[in-house]
Amino acid sequence: MSDIDKVLGFAIPARHARGRVARIGPLMEEILSAHGYPPVIELLLAEALVLTALLGSTLKDAGGQMTLQAQTESGVVDLLVCDYRGGELRGYVKHNPERLANLPPSPSLGDLFGPGYLAITFDQSSSGERYQGIVPLEGMSLSEAAQSYFAQSEQIPSLIRMSLTGDVAGGILLQHLPEGEEGRERLHVRLDHPEWEHVAILGATISGDELTDASLDLSDIVWRLFNEEEKILVHAETNLTKGCRCNADHVRSVIMRFPQDERESMADAQGIVEVDCSFCSRIFPIAVRSSV
């Protein structure tokens, strides 16, 4: 069980392609156990966590943050949020239990969300720049919705495959990047480019068992798929950990930034403001009166 709760990046220079392979287990259980979600919602959040690890790890800015948000106004799931920063993952789902009870045992993405949208945001800490793309929440799964995001918002051909077996979830992301050389055709405008077709066909052969087999090194997955390539560049693995950044001191510092009269209006009769962290399902009682 050594190669788990990790993400591995790689590149295939001759194909102008890059990829990520991720696998989570104990980390997934740690995040899910804080919420007590029904199995269907746990499955959705597990998929979202793997997807967030795959996408977030493409950030070159070590202090940058990637946030995935799926939202609707009339579905079973009102809001799903996950984010990634420096190998730290966190996420939660806000849903309607009564509506969920009326769904079939294996609901589709449309059943869970109805009309909704997927937003993916990249925040660069070094430059302070933020980029966000928003697309309709379409497809049979979050991975299909994310593929549509890159095709529509980024115009980058992408392949995403994910699998969940027992208490382990895994996924792979492959992308064809533009050459970016002045005066040359940008690869991302040709979805049928032979370089990408080759990479996508090989990537699609990955099995769910390979993605979730913790005894199989992530680097071995890359080798099995692309060992006939001239060169494969493999990056160092990134360890994945639970990343809820809330704590009593931080929450108190945020509350104390409000003017005294506003703090009083938020407090109960005992002068306590209760702050609920949706990511870790903890409530922080903050005293806002010196007499309390």
Side-chain angles (χ1 to χ4, degrees):
M1 298 289 288
S2 59
D3 220 5
I4 199 166
D5 290 343
K6 295 179 181 179
V7 59
L8 175 70
F10 62 94
I12 308 173
R15 305 286 181 181
H16 299 95
R18 72 175 179 184
R20 296 291 186 274
V21 188
R23 185 185 291 134
I24 59 176
L27 168 61
M28 178 178 67
E29 290 300 307
E30 183 181 4
I31 294 174
L32 294 179
S33 64
H35 300 284
Y37 292 137
V40 168
I41 302 300
E42 285 192 337
L43 181 62
L44 178 68
L45 183 53
E47 183 182 11
L49 290 169
V50 175
L51 182 58
T52 301
L54 293 172
L55 301 181
S57 61
T58 64
L59 279 165
K60 295 181 180 180
D61 186 344
Q65 178 172 305
M66 174 265 166
T67 303
L68 180 149
Q69 179 174 314
Q71 189 167 358
T72 181
E73 294 182 356
S74 59
V76 171
V77 176
D78 299 310
L79 177 66
L80 180 153
V81 180
C82 291
D83 70 35
Y84 173 101
R85 188 174 73 176
E88 295 183 343
L89 280 175
R90 61 180 183 171
Y92 74 92
V93 181
K94 181 182 178 182
H95 71 287
N96 187 311
E98 294 181 359
R99 291 177 181 173
L100 180 61
N102 294 322
L103 292 186
S106 300
S108 66
L109 192 67
D111 292 332
L112 290 171
F113 285 93
Y117 69 84
L118 175 69
I120 297 178
T121 307
F122 292 91
D123 289 293
Q124 306 287 345
S125 64
S126 57
S127 64
E129 295 180 340
R130 164 179 283 198
Y131 177 78
Q132 182 181 69
I134 301 176
V135 297
L137 193 58
E138 299 174 339
M140 297 301 294
S141 64
L142 281 176
S143 57
E144 288 188 15
Q147 285 182 175
S148 296
Y149 163 83
F150 282 107
Q152 296 177 38
S153 182
E154 300 283 345
Q155 293 187 313
I156 296 177
S158 303
L159 175 75
I160 303 173
R161 293 289 184 270
M162 288 191 278
S163 180
L164 176 65
T165 302
D167 56 359
V168 178
I172 187 170
L173 164 70
L174 296 170
Q175 293 184 307
H176 199 212
L177 302 180
E179 292 179 83
E181 296 181 26
E182 186 176 354
R184 298 189 63 179
E185 178 184 16
R186 291 176 65 84
L187 294 181
H188 68 261
V189 301
R190 293 188 54 190
L191 302 182
D192 61 344
H193 195 290
E195 287 181 356
W196 171 242
E197 287 186 338
H198 178 82
V199 171
I201 288 172
L202 291 178
T205 64
I206 190 72
S207 71
D209 289 341
E210 289 174 303
L211 290 173
T212 58
D213 182 0
S215 66
L216 179 65
D217 288 347
L218 298 180
S219 58
D220 287 341
I221 291 178
V222 178
W223 178 251
R224 287 185 181 187
L225 293 174
F226 304 111
N227 63 83
E228 294 185 0
E229 295 299 322
E230 178 183 351
K231 180 187 294 185
I232 306 173
L233 302 178
V234 179
H235 311 307
E237 287 185 333
T238 298
N239 293 319
L240 300 172
T241 60
K242 182 180 178 182
C244 194
R245 297 180 284 277
C246 67
N247 58 63
D249 291 338
H250 173 70
V251 173
R252 183 177 293 106
S253 69
V254 172
I255 293 297
M256 292 305 173
R257 293 172 194 167
F258 289 90
Q260 179 64 30
D261 59 337
E262 293 187 27
R263 296 201 301 266
E264 291 282 347
S265 67
M266 291 186 285
D268 60 18
Q270 287 72 45
I272 302 295
V273 176
E274 291 191 341
V275 180
D276 184 2
C277 175
S278 297
F279 285 104
C280 64
S281 293
R282 294 176 61 192
I283 296 177
F284 296 88
I286 307 297
V288 296
R289 295 177 192 158
S290 58
S291 59
V292 176

PDB file of all heavy atoms in Angstrom, residues 78-107:
ATOM      1  N   ASP A  78     -26.803  20.701  -4.200  1.00  0.00           N
ATOM      2  CA  ASP A  78     -26.804  22.157  -4.361  1.00  0.00           C
ATOM      3  C   ASP A  78     -25.418  22.681  -4.703  1.00  0.00           C
ATOM      4  O   ASP A  78     -25.269  23.600  -5.513  1.00  0.00           O
ATOM      5  CB  ASP A  78     -27.292  22.833  -3.073  1.00  0.00           C
ATOM      6  CG  ASP A  78     -28.710  22.438  -2.712  1.00  0.00           C
ATOM      7  OD1 ASP A  78     -29.577  22.509  -3.592  1.00  0.00           O
ATOM      8  OD2 ASP A  78     -28.944  22.038  -1.563  1.00  0.00           O
ATOM      9  N   LEU A  79     -24.410  22.090  -4.064  1.00  0.00           N
ATOM     10  CA  LEU A  79     -23.053  22.610  -4.226  1.00  0.00           C
ATOM     11  C   LEU A  79     -22.038  21.529  -3.896  1.00  0.00           C
ATOM     12  O   LEU A  79     -22.173  20.818  -2.900  1.00  0.00           O
ATOM     13  CB  LEU A  79     -22.843  23.814  -3.300  1.00  0.00           C
ATOM     14  CG  LEU A  79     -21.451  24.463  -3.284  1.00  0.00           C
ATOM     15  CD1 LEU A  79     -21.144  25.094  -4.634  1.00  0.00           C
ATOM     16  CD2 LEU A  79     -21.359  25.507  -2.180  1.00  0.00           C
ATOM     17  N   LEU A  80     -21.034  21.390  -4.757  1.00  0.00           N
ATOM     18  CA  LEU A  80     -19.877  20.536  -4.502  1.00  0.00           C
ATOM     19  C   LEU A  80     -18.638  21.397  -4.663  1.00  0.00           C
ATOM     20  O   LEU A  80     -18.487  22.076  -5.685  1.00  0.00           O
ATOM     21  CB  LEU A  80     -19.851  19.360  -5.478  1.00  0.00           C
ATOM     22  CG  LEU A  80     -18.695  18.356  -5.345  1.00  0.00           C
ATOM     23  CD1 LEU A  80     -19.113  16.979  -5.845  1.00  0.00           C
ATOM     24  CD2 LEU A  80     -17.436  18.794  -6.108  1.00  0.00           C
ATOM     25  N   VAL A  81     -17.760  21.380  -3.676  1.00  0.00           N
ATOM     26  CA  VAL A  81     -16.539  22.185  -3.723  1.00  0.00           C
ATOM     27  C   VAL A  81     -15.354  21.328  -3.288  1.00  0.00           C
ATOM     28  O   VAL A  81     -15.410  20.654  -2.254  1.00  0.00           O
ATOM     29  CB  VAL A  81     -16.623  23.430  -2.807  1.00  0.00           C
ATOM     30  CG1 VAL A  81     -15.333  24.236  -2.898  1.00  0.00           C
ATOM     31  CG2 VAL A  81     -17.807  24.297  -3.173  1.00  0.00           C
ATOM     32  N   CYS A  82     -14.297  21.345  -4.088  1.00  0.00           N
ATOM     33  CA  CYS A  82     -13.015  20.726  -3.706  1.00  0.00           C
ATOM     34  C   CYS A  82     -11.905  21.692  -4.099  1.00  0.00           C
ATOM     35  O   CYS A  82     -12.032  22.423  -5.084  1.00  0.00           O
ATOM     36  CB  CYS A  82     -12.794  19.403  -4.436  1.00  0.00           C
ATOM     37  SG  CYS A  82     -13.875  18.058  -3.937  1.00  0.00           S
ATOM     38  N   ASP A  83     -10.820  21.682  -3.336  1.00  0.00           N
ATOM     39  CA  ASP A  83      -9.676  22.467  -3.779  1.00  0.00           C
ATOM     40  C   ASP A  83      -8.367  21.770  -3.447  1.00  0.00           C
ATOM     41  O   ASP A  83      -8.310  20.838  -2.640  1.00  0.00           O
ATOM     42  CB  ASP A  83      -9.724  23.907  -3.253  1.00  0.00           C
ATOM     43  CG  ASP A  83      -9.499  24.037  -1.758  1.00  0.00           C
ATOM     44  OD1 ASP A  83      -8.710  23.266  -1.198  1.00  0.00           O
ATOM     45  OD2 ASP A  83     -10.098  24.938  -1.142  1.00  0.00           O
ATOM     46  N   TYR A  84      -7.322  22.240  -4.132  1.00  0.00           N
ATOM     47  CA  TYR A  84      -5.977  21.661  -4.040  1.00  0.00           C
ATOM     48  C   TYR A  84      -4.990  22.799  -3.858  1.00  0.00           C
ATOM     49  O   TYR A  84      -5.053  23.811  -4.570  1.00  0.00           O
ATOM     50  CB  TYR A  84      -5.658  20.906  -5.331  1.00  0.00           C
ATOM     51  CG  TYR A  84      -4.231  20.398  -5.450  1.00  0.00           C
ATOM     52  CD1 TYR A  84      -3.925  19.067  -5.206  1.00  0.00           C
ATOM     53  CD2 TYR A  84      -3.189  21.248  -5.837  1.00  0.00           C
ATOM     54  CE1 TYR A  84      -2.618  18.597  -5.330  1.00  0.00           C
ATOM     55  CE2 TYR A  84      -1.888  20.791  -5.957  1.00  0.00           C
ATOM     56  CZ  TYR A  84      -1.606  19.463  -5.703  1.00  0.00           C
ATOM     57  OH  TYR A  84      -0.310  18.991  -5.826  1.00  0.00           O
ATOM     58  N   ARG A  85      -4.074  22.627  -2.916  1.00  0.00           N
ATOM     59  CA  ARG A  85      -2.984  23.581  -2.741  1.00  0.00           C
ATOM     60  C   ARG A  85      -1.777  22.856  -2.201  1.00  0.00           C
ATOM     61  O   ARG A  85      -1.803  22.326  -1.085  1.00  0.00           O
ATOM     62  CB  ARG A  85      -3.385  24.715  -1.792  1.00  0.00           C
ATOM     63  CG  ARG A  85      -2.332  25.835  -1.744  1.00  0.00           C
ATOM     64  CD  ARG A  85      -2.795  27.013  -0.911  1.00  0.00           C
ATOM     65  NE  ARG A  85      -2.773  26.697   0.523  1.00  0.00           N
ATOM     66  CZ  ARG A  85      -3.060  27.580   1.479  1.00  0.00           C
ATOM     67  NH1 ARG A  85      -3.436  28.795   1.148  1.00  0.00           N
ATOM     68  NH2 ARG A  85      -3.015  27.226   2.745  1.00  0.00           N
ATOM     69  N   GLY A  86      -0.726  22.783  -2.994  1.00  0.00           N
ATOM     70  CA  GLY A  86       0.525  22.180  -2.558  1.00  0.00           C
ATOM     71  C   GLY A  86       0.387  20.755  -2.059  1.00  0.00           C
ATOM     72  O   GLY A  86       1.048  20.366  -1.099  1.00  0.00           O
ATOM     73  N   GLY A  87      -0.452  19.959  -2.688  1.00  0.00           N
ATOM     74  CA  GLY A  87      -0.643  18.577  -2.277  1.00  0.00           C
ATOM     75  C   GLY A  87      -1.733  18.376  -1.240  1.00  0.00           C
ATOM     76  O   GLY A  87      -2.054  17.240  -0.884  1.00  0.00           O
ATOM     77  N   GLU A  88      -2.323  19.471  -0.758  1.00  0.00           N
ATOM     78  CA  GLU A  88      -3.401  19.368   0.225  1.00  0.00           C
ATOM     79  C   GLU A  88      -4.760  19.366  -0.477  1.00  0.00           C
ATOM     80  O   GLU A  88      -5.030  20.220  -1.322  1.00  0.00           O
ATOM     81  CB  GLU A  88      -3.335  20.532   1.208  1.00  0.00           C
ATOM     82  CG  GLU A  88      -2.087  20.525   2.081  1.00  0.00           C
ATOM     83  CD  GLU A  88      -2.099  21.655   3.093  1.00  0.00           C
ATOM     84  OE1 GLU A  88      -2.889  22.620   2.915  1.00  0.00           O
ATOM     85  OE2 GLU A  88      -1.336  21.592   4.062  1.00  0.00           O
ATOM     86  N   LEU A  89      -5.598  18.418  -0.101  1.00  0.00           N
ATOM     87  CA  LEU A  89      -6.933  18.277  -0.683  1.00  0.00           C
ATOM     88  C   LEU A  89      -7.994  18.477   0.381  1.00  0.00           C
ATOM     89  O   LEU A  89      -7.821  18.088   1.536  1.00  0.00           O
ATOM     90  CB  LEU A  89      -7.115  16.873  -1.276  1.00  0.00           C
ATOM     91  CG  LEU A  89      -6.541  16.558  -2.655  1.00  0.00           C
ATOM     92  CD1 LEU A  89      -6.745  15.087  -2.954  1.00  0.00           C
ATOM     93  CD2 LEU A  89      -7.176  17.416  -3.732  1.00  0.00           C
ATOM     94  N   ARG A  90      -9.115  19.069  -0.010  1.00  0.00           N
ATOM     95  CA  ARG A  90     -10.270  19.135   0.865  1.00  0.00           C
ATOM     96  C   ARG A  90     -11.520  19.246  -0.009  1.00  0.00           C
ATOM     97  O   ARG A  90     -11.442  19.621  -1.185  1.00  0.00           O
ATOM     98  CB  ARG A  90     -10.196  20.322   1.824  1.00  0.00           C
ATOM     99  CG  ARG A  90     -10.143  21.683   1.156  1.00  0.00           C
ATOM    100  CD  ARG A  90     -10.079  22.795   2.183  1.00  0.00           C
ATOM    101  NE  ARG A  90     -10.109  24.119   1.549  1.00  0.00           N
ATOM    102  CZ  ARG A  90     -10.230  25.265   2.196  1.00  0.00           C
ATOM    103  NH1 ARG A  90     -10.319  25.259   3.527  1.00  0.00           N
ATOM    104  NH2 ARG A  90     -10.264  26.415   1.565  1.00  0.00           N
ATOM    105  N   GLY A  91     -12.680  18.902   0.551  1.00  0.00           N
ATOM    106  CA  GLY A  91     -13.900  18.986  -0.232  1.00  0.00           C
ATOM    107  C   GLY A  91     -15.127  18.697   0.605  1.00  0.00           C
ATOM    108  O   GLY A  91     -15.044  18.074   1.672  1.00  0.00           O
ATOM    109  N   TYR A  92     -16.269  19.152   0.102  1.00  0.00           N
ATOM    110  CA  TYR A  92     -17.537  18.855   0.766  1.00  0.00           C
ATOM    111  C   TYR A  92     -18.669  18.958  -0.248  1.00  0.00           C
ATOM    112  O   TYR A  92     -18.505  19.514  -1.353  1.00  0.00           O
ATOM    113  CB  TYR A  92     -17.799  19.800   1.953  1.00  0.00           C
ATOM    114  CG  TYR A  92     -18.205  21.211   1.583  1.00  0.00           C
ATOM    115  CD1 TYR A  92     -19.553  21.567   1.458  1.00  0.00           C
ATOM    116  CD2 TYR A  92     -17.245  22.196   1.361  1.00  0.00           C
ATOM    117  CE1 TYR A  92     -19.925  22.859   1.127  1.00  0.00           C
ATOM    118  CE2 TYR A  92     -17.608  23.488   1.029  1.00  0.00           C
ATOM    119  CZ  TYR A  92     -18.947  23.816   0.915  1.00  0.00           C
ATOM    120  OH  TYR A  92     -19.314  25.082   0.577  1.00  0.00           O
ATOM    121  N   VAL A  93     -19.824  18.406   0.120  1.00  0.00           N
ATOM    122  CA  VAL A  93     -21.009  18.419  -0.735  1.00  0.00           C
ATOM    123  C   VAL A  93     -22.205  18.888   0.091  1.00  0.00           C
ATOM    124  O   VAL A  93     -22.446  18.378   1.183  1.00  0.00           O
ATOM    125  CB  VAL A  93     -21.317  17.021  -1.309  1.00  0.00           C
ATOM    126  CG1 VAL A  93     -22.551  17.075  -2.214  1.00  0.00           C
ATOM    127  CG2 VAL A  93     -20.120  16.469  -2.071  1.00  0.00           C
ATOM    128  N   LYS A  94     -22.943  19.846  -0.433  1.00  0.00           N
ATOM    129  CA  LYS A  94     -24.198  20.269   0.172  1.00  0.00           C
ATOM    130  C   LYS A  94     -25.328  19.679  -0.668  1.00  0.00           C
ATOM    131  O   LYS A  94     -25.430  19.956  -1.865  1.00  0.00           O
ATOM    132  CB  LYS A  94     -24.292  21.795   0.192  1.00  0.00           C
ATOM    133  CG  LYS A  94     -25.571  22.323   0.823  1.00  0.00           C
ATOM    134  CD  LYS A  94     -25.614  23.851   0.768  1.00  0.00           C
ATOM    135  CE  LYS A  94     -26.911  24.383   1.351  1.00  0.00           C
ATOM    136  NZ  LYS A  94     -26.992  25.869   1.254  1.00  0.00           N
ATOM    137  N   HIS A  95     -26.168  18.848  -0.043  1.00  0.00           N
ATOM    138  CA  HIS A  95     -27.195  18.160  -0.817  1.00  0.00           C
ATOM    139  C   HIS A  95     -28.524  18.134  -0.058  1.00  0.00           C
ATOM    140  O   HIS A  95     -28.579  18.428   1.144  1.00  0.00           O
ATOM    141  CB  HIS A  95     -26.754  16.730  -1.140  1.00  0.00           C
ATOM    142  CG  HIS A  95     -26.740  15.824   0.053  1.00  0.00           C
ATOM    143  ND1 HIS A  95     -25.780  15.908   1.045  1.00  0.00           N
ATOM    144  CD2 HIS A  95     -27.576  14.814   0.412  1.00  0.00           C
ATOM    145  CE1 HIS A  95     -26.024  14.989   1.967  1.00  0.00           C
ATOM    146  NE2 HIS A  95     -27.101  14.315   1.609  1.00  0.00           N
ATOM    147  N   ASN A  96     -29.574  17.736  -0.765  1.00  0.00           N
ATOM    148  CA  ASN A  96     -30.917  17.653  -0.211  1.00  0.00           C
ATOM    149  C   ASN A  96     -31.278  16.189   0.020  1.00  0.00           C
ATOM    150  O   ASN A  96     -31.536  15.455  -0.946  1.00  0.00           O
ATOM    151  CB  ASN A  96     -31.917  18.300  -1.174  1.00  0.00           C
ATOM    152  CG  ASN A  96     -33.317  18.402  -0.597  1.00  0.00           C
ATOM    153  OD1 ASN A  96     -33.859  17.435  -0.069  1.00  0.00           O
ATOM    154  ND2 ASN A  96     -33.912  19.576  -0.709  1.00  0.00           N
ATOM    155  N   PRO A  97     -31.294  15.717   1.269  1.00  0.00           N
ATOM    156  CA  PRO A  97     -31.561  14.299   1.547  1.00  0.00           C
ATOM    157  C   PRO A  97     -32.927  13.827   1.050  1.00  0.00           C
ATOM    158  O   PRO A  97     -33.071  12.688   0.603  1.00  0.00           O
ATOM    159  CB  PRO A  97     -31.466  14.214   3.078  1.00  0.00           C
ATOM    160  CG  PRO A  97     -30.618  15.376   3.472  1.00  0.00           C
ATOM    161  CD  PRO A  97     -30.961  16.458   2.499  1.00  0.00           C
ATOM    162  N   GLU A  98     -33.932  14.689   1.119  1.00  0.00           N
ATOM    163  CA  GLU A  98     -35.272  14.293   0.680  1.00  0.00           C
ATOM    164  C   GLU A  98     -35.312  14.046  -0.828  1.00  0.00           C
ATOM    165  O   GLU A  98     -35.901  13.063  -1.298  1.00  0.00           O
ATOM    166  CB  GLU A  98     -36.287  15.364   1.075  1.00  0.00           C
ATOM    167  CG  GLU A  98     -36.464  15.511   2.588  1.00  0.00           C
ATOM    168  CD  GLU A  98     -37.498  16.565   2.934  1.00  0.00           C
ATOM    169  OE1 GLU A  98     -38.060  17.184   1.992  1.00  0.00           O
ATOM    170  OE2 GLU A  98     -37.751  16.770   4.137  1.00  0.00           O
ATOM    171  N   ARG A  99     -34.685  14.920  -1.589  1.00  0.00           N
ATOM    172  CA  ARG A  99     -34.633  14.716  -3.032  1.00  0.00           C
ATOM    173  C   ARG A  99     -33.796  13.489  -3.382  1.00  0.00           C
ATOM    174  O   ARG A  99     -34.109  12.755  -4.317  1.00  0.00           O
ATOM    175  CB  ARG A  99     -34.055  15.951  -3.716  1.00  0.00           C
ATOM    176  CG  ARG A  99     -34.965  17.172  -3.666  1.00  0.00           C
ATOM    177  CD  ARG A  99     -34.292  18.360  -4.309  1.00  0.00           C
ATOM    178  NE  ARG A  99     -35.130  19.555  -4.264  1.00  0.00           N
ATOM    179  CZ  ARG A  99     -34.720  20.769  -4.633  1.00  0.00           C
ATOM    180  NH1 ARG A  99     -33.484  20.941  -5.056  1.00  0.00           N
ATOM    181  NH2 ARG A  99     -35.549  21.792  -4.563  1.00  0.00           N
ATOM    182  N   LEU A 100     -32.722  13.275  -2.616  1.00  0.00           N
ATOM    183  CA  LEU A 100     -31.858  12.118  -2.874  1.00  0.00           C
ATOM    184  C   LEU A 100     -32.621  10.814  -2.695  1.00  0.00           C
ATOM    185  O   LEU A 100     -32.424   9.853  -3.442  1.00  0.00           O
ATOM    186  CB  LEU A 100     -30.650  12.155  -1.934  1.00  0.00           C
ATOM    187  CG  LEU A 100     -29.646  11.010  -2.071  1.00  0.00           C
ATOM    188  CD1 LEU A 100     -29.030  10.998  -3.470  1.00  0.00           C
ATOM    189  CD2 LEU A 100     -28.556  11.121  -1.012  1.00  0.00           C
ATOM    190  N   ALA A 101     -33.515  10.756  -1.720  1.00  0.00           N
ATOM    191  CA  ALA A 101     -34.277   9.536  -1.442  1.00  0.00           C
ATOM    192  C   ALA A 101     -35.171   9.133  -2.605  1.00  0.00           C
ATOM    193  O   ALA A 101     -35.558   7.966  -2.724  1.00  0.00           O
ATOM    194  CB  ALA A 101     -35.108   9.719  -0.179  1.00  0.00           C
ATOM    195  N   ASN A 102     -35.503  10.070  -3.488  1.00  0.00           N
ATOM    196  CA  ASN A 102     -36.384   9.787  -4.614  1.00  0.00           C
ATOM    197  C   ASN A 102     -35.636   9.393  -5.887  1.00  0.00           C
ATOM    198  O   ASN A 102     -36.270   9.131  -6.916  1.00  0.00           O
ATOM    199  CB  ASN A 102     -37.250  11.020  -4.917  1.00  0.00           C
ATOM    200  CG  ASN A 102     -38.218  11.340  -3.784  1.00  0.00           C
ATOM    201  OD1 ASN A 102     -38.766  10.435  -3.162  1.00  0.00           O
ATOM    202  ND2 ASN A 102     -38.407  12.623  -3.512  1.00  0.00           N
ATOM    203  N   LEU A 103     -34.301   9.332  -5.808  1.00  0.00           N
ATOM    204  CA  LEU A 103     -33.517   8.973  -6.984  1.00  0.00           C
ATOM    205  C   LEU A 103     -33.337   7.461  -7.094  1.00  0.00           C
ATOM    206  O   LEU A 103     -33.447   6.737  -6.099  1.00  0.00           O
ATOM    207  CB  LEU A 103     -32.139   9.639  -6.917  1.00  0.00           C
ATOM    208  CG  LEU A 103     -32.077  11.161  -7.045  1.00  0.00           C
ATOM    209  CD1 LEU A 103     -30.635  11.609  -7.112  1.00  0.00           C
ATOM    210  CD2 LEU A 103     -32.836  11.639  -8.275  1.00  0.00           C
ATOM    211  N   PRO A 104     -33.006   6.967  -8.297  1.00  0.00           N
ATOM    212  CA  PRO A 104     -32.689   5.540  -8.457  1.00  0.00           C
ATOM    213  C   PRO A 104     -31.401   5.203  -7.725  1.00  0.00           C
ATOM    214  O   PRO A 104     -30.623   6.093  -7.365  1.00  0.00           O
ATOM    215  CB  PRO A 104     -32.544   5.384  -9.974  1.00  0.00           C
ATOM    216  CG  PRO A 104     -32.241   6.755 -10.483  1.00  0.00           C
ATOM    217  CD  PRO A 104     -32.978   7.696  -9.583  1.00  0.00           C
ATOM    218  N   PRO A 105     -31.109   3.894  -7.498  1.00  0.00           N
ATOM    219  CA  PRO A 105     -29.916   3.493  -6.731  1.00  0.00           C
ATOM    220  C   PRO A 105     -28.603   4.001  -7.315  1.00  0.00           C
ATOM    221  O   PRO A 105     -27.666   4.292  -6.578  1.00  0.00           O
ATOM    222  CB  PRO A 105     -29.988   1.960  -6.775  1.00  0.00           C
ATOM    223  CG  PRO A 105     -31.433   1.655  -6.985  1.00  0.00           C
ATOM    224  CD  PRO A 105     -31.963   2.749  -7.853  1.00  0.00           C
ATOM    225  N   SER A 106     -28.514   4.075  -8.638  1.00  0.00           N
ATOM    226  CA  SER A 106     -27.278   4.546  -9.284  1.00  0.00           C
ATOM    227  C   SER A 106     -27.591   5.762 -10.152  1.00  0.00           C
ATOM    228  O   SER A 106     -27.675   5.667 -11.390  1.00  0.00           O
ATOM    229  CB  SER A 106     -26.650   3.429 -10.127  1.00  0.00           C
ATOM    230  OG  SER A 106     -26.321   2.314  -9.329  1.00  0.00           O
ATOM    231  N   PRO A 107     -27.773   6.924  -9.535  1.00  0.00           N
ATOM    232  CA  PRO A 107     -28.177   8.115 -10.292  1.00  0.00           C
ATOM    233  C   PRO A 107     -27.062   8.636 -11.195  1.00  0.00           C
ATOM    234  O   PRO A 107     -25.872   8.480 -10.899  1.00  0.00           O
ATOM    235  CB  PRO A 107     -28.513   9.130  -9.203  1.00  0.00           C
ATOM    236  CG  PRO A 107     -27.682   8.708  -8.038  1.00  0.00           C
ATOM    237  CD  PRO A 107     -27.627   7.212  -8.105  1.00  0.00           C
TER     238      PRO A 107
END
